Amino acid sequence: MTEEFHRIRRLPPYVFAEVNKAKAAARARGEDIIDLGMGNPDTPTPPHIVKKLVETVADPRSHRYSVSRGIPGLRRALAGYYERRFDVKLDPETEVIATLGSKEGLANLASAITSPGDTILVPNPSYPIHQFGFIIAGASVRSIPAYPDDEMLRALERAVRHSVPKPTALIVNFPSNPTAYLADLDFYKELVAFCRREEIFILSDLAYAEIYFGDLVPPSILAVEGAKDIAVEFTSLSKTYSMAGWRMGFAAGNPRLISALTRIKSYLDYGAFTPIQVAAVAALSGPQDCVAEIRAMYKDRRDVLLRGLHAAGWDVPTPEGSMFAWAPIPEKFRDMGSVAFSKLLLQEAGVAVAPGLGFGEHGEGFVRIGLVENTQRLRQATRAIKGFLSAHGVTAPTPATAGKPSVLEDTAS
């Protein structure tokens, strides 16, 4: 009776636990910790969205069970967003479902479409649920490169030739968490052509669609002709509208995959609280000035962070999207690994970051830094980091080693 349960045995120890424990201990001692480790938006939800929530929650009829797949008005609002933003037409009845955040949707779809022993292709490094949603469902995960280029496509070809059984699904995530890589529509066209030919489903995580800073505006994979034959895409209001705690997301695309997710969810939940869904309609269909303002805020934070890190002697590629910087550990500390480095940075500089190992074995050698504090706190963080690095003899910039400087070209100066 003491043996670990089967599905729990398949989950490794939580990599972030050591840093979280050290962070909690430091705060218990009264230390001021600047927490850049979580992707947790710190700004308030726009007022017109909150107003709609308050207005709706005052109606007692809204307190009843809701609809698992989302109220009709919300599904229509998501379809309207896709048409405006991506020029993609969706049927709100068969090609859209509301989820309790994109994370829940991904995990439940993994459960719906996976048989024990299936092979799933997942970029490494990537957001943990991308692989562990399928591992929990009984699948085997095969890692592929995380950067959207010919190397990834060649790895997909090798995976199809050498995996037994043949892969059934592929996860992609651009703008990427944690790497901040972006993909363009031409890459998606090649990806869709390959997966249609090999009969592999694509699950695209587009949670950071509206957090971008350069000329490349993140596209939807569903904008590719024929993509809806094999692809479903997950989006979220968490970052776009600073609504992380509201847990409001969506899946859209292939009707068969949407139907499978709908059926699984009908057994598991009654959907989000109706006032949250109504407020989500206000977010998607109301004024969009707030989206541009939030994007500009993250760009300002990115520029402040990168200027400070570069001045401190930490050469970090400048992200063109997402709310993270994917930072190679300075050469001086590289041998200690990302977990030990994160703990040392917390101990000596009072700055918390996420160790790259938590995003997969190929995340080792990096840390993820979130743009989740205001510019004043970010300046404070980079000053503390500068003191930390200087104390260890790091005073001059080191060569960028994030692997793709042509895409993550420094524009912070």
Side-chain angles (χ1 to χ4, degrees), residues 41-55:
D42 62 310
T43 55
T45 304
H48 70 281
I49 302 172
V50 177
K51 181 180 179 181
K52 179 56 69 174
L53 173 74
V54 173
E55 174 187 310

Side-chain angles (χ1 to χ4, degrees), residues 12-259:
Y14 189 54
V15 170
F16 304 114
E18 287 189 51
V19 177
N20 290 343
K21 183 178 179 180
K23 184 168 55 180
R27 284 176 169 160
R29 294 191 297 268
E31 298 178 21
D32 177 25
I33 301 300
I34 303 174
D35 191 353
L36 308 180
M38 287 189 66
N40 196 4
D42 62 310
T43 55
T45 304
H48 70 281
I49 302 172
V50 177
K51 181 180 179 181
K52 179 56 69 174
L53 173 74
V54 173
E55 174 187 310
T56 309
V57 83
D59 183 350
R61 293 174 299 177
S62 70
H63 299 181
R64 302 170 181 173
Y65 289 128
S66 190
V67 182
S68 179
R69 66 192 184 114
I71 60 176
L74 179 56
R75 286 181 277 115
R76 288 195 297 269
L78 192 278
Y81 163 76
Y82 259 81
E83 187 163 10
R84 293 192 309 272
R85 172 69 165 80
F86 304 113
D87 195 25
V88 171
K89 294 186 182 297
L90 295 169
D91 183 344
E93 292 300 315
T94 62
E95 296 177 335
V96 175
I97 183 174
T99 61
L100 305 178
S102 58
K103 183 176 181 179
E104 174 269 330
L106 277 159
N108 278 329
L109 184 58
S111 176
I113 68 174
T114 303
S115 299
D118 281 354
T119 300
I120 308 298
L121 305 176
V122 181
N124 191 333
S126 69
Y127 186 53
I129 197 63
H130 294 159
Q131 60 171 320
F132 289 113
F134 283 97
I135 288 173
I136 291 169
S140 297
V141 169
R142 178 168 181 151
S143 295
I144 59 171
Y147 190 76
D149 62 0
D150 289 342
E151 183 181 350
M152 177 188 274
L153 295 172
R154 288 193 296 269
L156 291 175
E157 292 174 352
R158 291 194 299 271
V160 169
R161 287 198 307 269
H162 301 299
S163 295
V164 179
K166 177 183 173 181
T168 58
L170 162 70
I171 303 287
V172 291
N173 170 216
F174 304 109
S176 171
N177 175 11
T179 63
Y181 297 151
L182 271 65
D184 60 21
L185 200 59
D186 286 339
F187 174 77
Y188 281 145
K189 288 177 181 177
E190 292 190 65
L191 196 67
V192 167
F194 174 82
C195 290
R196 288 185 71 189
R197 184 170 65 249
E198 300 295 341
E199 298 183 333
I200 297 172
F201 287 121
I202 300 174
L203 280 60
S204 169
D205 182 350
L206 194 61
Y208 294 89
E210 302 302 341
I211 310 298
Y212 57 90
F213 313 120
D215 294 333
L216 176 55
V217 178
S220 164
I221 198 169
L222 300 180
V224 176
E225 185 177 355
K228 283 198 287 185
D229 292 343
I230 55 165
V232 68
E233 191 158 67
F234 291 89
T235 53
S236 168
L237 304 189
S238 294
K239 279 66 178 188
T240 304
Y241 301 98
S242 289
M243 293 173 65
W246 298 53
R247 307 315 302 137
M248 196 73 253
F250 305 90
N254 179 264
R256 184 183 174 198
L257 294 176
I258 296 298
S259 176

